[in-house]
Each structure stands twice: as structure tokens, then as C-alpha cells.
Amino acid sequence: MYSFIDFIIAFFISLGVSVAVTPLVIKFAIKLGFVDKPDHRKVHKGLMPRIGGLSIVIGATAGLLYLHEIILHIWPLLVGGAIILVTGILDDKFTISPKTKLLGQLIAAGIVVFYDIKIDFISLPFVDERIYLGPFSYVFAILWIVGITNAINLIDGLDGLAAGVSVIAMTTIMTLAAFNNHMLVVALTVILIGGSIGFLFFNFNPAKIFMGDTGALFLGYCISVISLLGLYKSVTIFSLVIPIIVLAIPIFDTFFAILRRILNKTKNLCS
């Protein structure tokens, strides 16, 4: 496996490439109509490019090419990530239906989970007991991936928020993985953090580009799958709670957003 120096090099490759390509992505988005139009609910005044997630993906891919030996170990993640990326690009261009977007997420999650990236059992603290999930291990993993993917997507409303929260979450996961010698997780988080920080230079207020669903769905998907890789196969209650604490803001935001929509729908039906 790679050394600490290799991880630093991969980080700066991802960071540098992301910074370098973002101006090109801005021009590409404007030219092909990947733009967010202003209205009464939005703070920006003019057309805003909204496919900035491509910068993160390109930057992370550059870092991955440097750490190319891990590619064979993560091909299901890459295939699922490609599906998520296409789903996000289509939504940024055509605003696809929520059902179509969910279908893309379920297919991506299914590829990863049925490759056997899931939690088989939960170990209870202080007692030598295990709760085996059986078939529910697949259900749990798919719900986790889809839930975190949408959680990151739903907080993508303020300049720098989704990318900033994602960097914090991935840094925490990377730190825990390093302590537990999960070098594959460290490698993946390093290149994603580099790509995300490179994009953030253009996304802080006042933003020059939005990450769009292209970036938000991709980052949410990567965080969810990488956290499963870090917990691989078995997990204690404490280990399960840690990623939830790291991602508490987007998880609770998702919950309350869904609750608000249900209540508003009920209110409209009753009026």
C-alpha cells in the first residue's frame, strides 16, 4: 500500500487539477446551458453555472490515477459513481423527476451492496453479543447510501455549505480510518478532499459556480460508500454512531425537509 508521502502527493494533484479545470467547467456550463436561472427564491442575480461537481470528479480522478493500484479494489464504487454522475448531470440539465433520480441512486447503491460492501452484524458494547442482520444487511446498506446521498444534496443551498460539510465529514472519516489502518479509505478520502477544496475556491460566497446535483449527489454517494468501507462487514454501536454524528447536519436537515413536505402536502389537501 502507499506511503504517507503518496497520499500527500495525491491530495495536491486532486487539489491542483480541480482548481485548474473549474474555470473551464464554468465556460462549458454556460456554453451548453447548465445554468441556474435567478428567481424570487434565489439570491444570485444572473445565470449561475451549476455543474461544478465535474471539477471535483475530474480532480479526484487525477488523484486516483496517481494511486492507480487501488482501482481494482473499488471498481463497483467507480461504476456506481459513474451512474450517480450521469444522474446528476441529467438533472442539472433537464431537471429530471424525483423518481428517475431515485432510480439512479438505487441502481448505484445496488451495484455496491451486492458486490458485498455492507454490514453483516452489529457488535454490542460491553457484552460479547452480535446482532446479525441477515438479509436486512442489504436493505440497511442501500438505505444508508441513498439516505446520505440525498442528505448532502438537500443541504446544497448556500455557497460552500455542501462542499464544506462534505470536506469535514470526509476528514473525520479519514482520521478514523488512519487510526484503524484502513488505508483504502484514507486513499479515497484524500483525493476527494483535494478535489472538493479545489472546487471550494470558486464556491465560497460570492460563488462563481454551484456544484449542482452533479457534485452533491456524487459527494453524498462517495461519503456513504466510503463510510461503509470503513466499517466493513462488522460494526460496533459506537462505530455506527460516529458517521451519523459527523453527518448530523445533513441527516437532520433531510429528515425535517421530508417532514415539512409531508405536512405541507397534507395541509394543501385539507384546505
Side-chain angles (χ1 to χ4, degrees):
M1 186 51 75
Y2 295 100
S3 67
F4 179 71
I5 298 299
D6 288 320
F7 292 144
I8 292 178
I9 293 172
F11 168 80
F12 280 106
I13 289 174
S14 300
L15 174 66
V17 171
S18 181
V19 170
V21 302
T22 300
L24 301 177
V25 172
I26 291 174
K27 294 179 180 178
F28 173 82
I30 294 174
K31 184 175 181 178
L32 296 186
F34 289 91
V35 293
D36 196 22
K37 298 178 181 178
D39 60 32
H40 65 282
R41 298 183 346 181
K42 300 173 182 176
V43 296
H44 61 278
K45 303 301 181 183
L47 296 177
M48 181 67 70
R50 62 172 182 179
I51 198 173
L54 276 181
S55 302
I56 299 173
V57 175
I58 295 171
T61 300
L64 180 60
L65 290 176
Y66 178 77
L67 302 176
H68 58 89
E69 290 180 11
I70 69 173
I71 292 176
L72 288 177
H73 302 286
I74 61 167
W75 68 263
L77 190 157
L78 298 179
V79 173
I83 293 171
I84 288 291
L85 183 63
V86 170
T87 301
I89 290 173
L90 290 175
D91 192 54
D92 283 336
K93 178 63 176 177
F94 303 108
T95 313
I96 60 179
S97 70
K99 289 182 180 179
T100 303
K101 195 155 51 171
L102 178 61
L103 177 61
Q105 296 169 25
L106 288 172
I107 293 172
I111 291 172
V112 169
V113 171
F114 287 104
Y115 181 71
D116 219 24
I117 298 175
K118 63 187 192 314
I119 303 301
D120 287 337
F121 60 86
I122 299 174
S123 299
L124 299 177
F126 311 118
V127 294
D128 190 20
E129 295 290 337
R130 293 177 175 179
I131 300 175
Y132 286 89
L133 299 177
F136 290 104
S137 61
Y138 294 96
V139 177
F140 174 85
I142 288 175
L143 289 176
W144 177 263
I145 293 171
V146 173
I148 299 302
T149 298
N150 282 288
I152 298 297
N153 189 37
L154 283 175
I155 65 167
D156 184 28
L158 296 175
D159 295 348
L161 180 60
V165 168
S166 296
V167 167
I168 293 170
M170 289 186 291
T171 301
T172 306
I173 293 171
M174 179 189 68
T175 304
L176 294 172
F179 277 116
N180 289 281
N181 204 34
H182 290 307
M183 291 299 106
L184 178 61
V185 173
V186 173
L188 291 171
T189 49
V190 160
I191 60 177
L192 286 165
I193 291 169
S196 299
I197 292 176
F199 166 76
L200 271 171
F201 285 119
F202 300 87
N203 188 234
F204 281 128
N205 185 45
K208 297 180 178 64
I209 186 171
F210 296 155
M211 71 162 59
D213 278 16
T214 303
L217 292 178
F218 180 78
L219 283 179
Y221 165 81
C222 288
I223 290 170
S224 63
V225 175
I226 289 172
S227 63
L228 285 180
L229 284 173
L231 300 173
Y232 193 65
K233 290 298 181 184
S234 65
V235 59
T236 64
I237 290 293
F238 293 139
S239 298
L240 186 63
V241 168
I242 287 172
I244 295 176
I245 293 174
V246 173
L247 299 168
I249 295 175
I251 287 174
F252 282 109
D253 187 83
T254 300
F255 172 76
F256 288 117
I258 293 172
L259 184 61
R260 283 195 302 269
R261 291 175 185 180
I262 292 174
L263 292 175
N264 288 336
K265 187 175 181 181
T266 304
K267 187 185 298 183
N268 291 336
L269 289 174
C270 295
S271 60

